[in-house]
Amino acid sequence: MDKFNRTSRLSRLSEKVILYQSDTTVGFSSQDAKKLQKIKSRDPSKAFIKIFKDLKTLNMLGLRVPYKYKNTLRRSKKSSFVVKNIAFRVVNNPINSQTLRDIPWHYSTSANESGKNFNLDFCEEKADIIIQNKDGLRELNSSSLYKLNHTKRKKIR
C-alpha cells in the first residue's frame, strides 16, 4: 500500500487500484480495466462503469447524452447511465480525497469478488491505495442504473 501526502506522484495513479468509500458503496477504482477484471475474477466482456469528475470531462471524451436528458444527468444523485452501451456516472460532490479529485475519470466497480459480498480483508489485500474516512468502509446500496436513448429512459437496476 502506498502512503503519500503530495500530489506530485499522481502520474502513477493510472496504474494503481484504489479502495474507497464512494457516495453509494465501497468500490475499487482504477484507470486500468484489466487490473480490475483480474482482481474481481470478472468476465472480460462485462464492462465497468466509468466515473467522471464533471460534465466537462464527459463531453471532452465525445460521449453525447441525448438533449432531452441533459438536465436529468446534471441533477442526478446516486445514478449511473448507459448511453450507446457505455456506462458512466458523473460525481459532482467532492470526495474528501485530493487523490480522487485530481483524476478526471476512472473505472469503478464494487469492492468484492464477482458474485460475493464485501470482505474487508480481501479488499485490503487487493488494493494498492486505501482511502478511508473516520466512518470507515461499509457496504451500502449501489447506484441506480438507467439506459438512455433519444426516445426513452429505461431503469435497469
Side-chain angles (χ1 to χ4, degrees), residues 3-14:
K3 294 182 180 179
F4 57 90
N5 296 323
R6 290 179 272 143
T7 57
S8 62
R9 294 184 178 175
L10 289 177
S11 60
R12 297 184 330 169
L13 280 179
S14 62

Side-chain angles (χ1 to χ4, degrees), residues 12 15 24 48 56 67 99-100 103 107 114-115 121 139 145 150 154:
R12 297 184 330 169
E15 305 163 4
T24 54
F48 291 102
K56 185 177 180 183
Y67 181 78
T99 305
L100 290 174
I103 301 173
Y107 294 108
S114 287
D121 295 331
E139 187 176 28
L145 184 62
H150 290 288
K154 180 181 178 182

Side-chain angles (χ1 to χ4, degrees), residues 12-134:
R12 297 184 330 169
L13 280 179
S14 62
E15 305 163 4
K16 302 290 185 184
V17 174
I18 302 169
L19 175 68
Y20 71 103
Q21 179 73 45
S22 72
D23 58 338
T24 54
T25 192
V26 181
F28 284 127
S29 167
S30 179
Q31 287 188 325
D32 188 353
K34 289 182 182 180
K35 267 190 168 181
L36 292 176
Q37 285 173 344
K38 184 178 176 185
I39 287 172
K40 290 189 56 98
S41 305
R42 188 172 175 167
D43 181 18
S45 65
K46 191 173 179 183
F48 291 102
I49 292 177
K50 214 171 192 181
I51 306 291
F52 294 96
K53 73 177 190 175
D54 56 23
L55 286 170
K56 185 177 180 183
T57 307
L58 175 70
N59 290 334
M60 285 177 23
L61 291 177
L63 185 62
R64 296 191 54 144
V65 176
Y67 181 78
K68 165 178 183 174
Y69 299 112
K70 288 194 181 211
N71 270 339
T72 304
L73 180 74
R74 191 175 298 116
R75 295 177 181 170
S76 70
K77 301 221 185 313
K78 299 182 181 184
S79 297
S80 300
F81 300 94
V82 177
V83 175
K84 295 183 181 177
N85 293 326
I86 298 172
F88 66 93
R89 260 183 98 192
V90 178
V91 180
N92 293 323
N93 59 335
I95 299 171
N96 294 326
S97 168
Q98 187 65 38
T99 305
L100 290 174
R101 280 188 292 219
D102 289 342
I103 301 173
W105 67 269
H106 57 270
Y107 294 108
S108 182
T109 184
S110 59
N112 56 21
E113 287 186 88
S114 287
K116 296 184 180 177
N117 290 332
F118 175 68
N119 180 345
L120 186 59
D121 295 331
F122 167 78
C123 295
E124 287 178 343
E125 177 185 321
K126 299 296 183 180
D128 297 318
I129 299 170
I130 299 172
I131 300 172
Q132 183 172 329
N133 62 12
K134 63 180 174 138

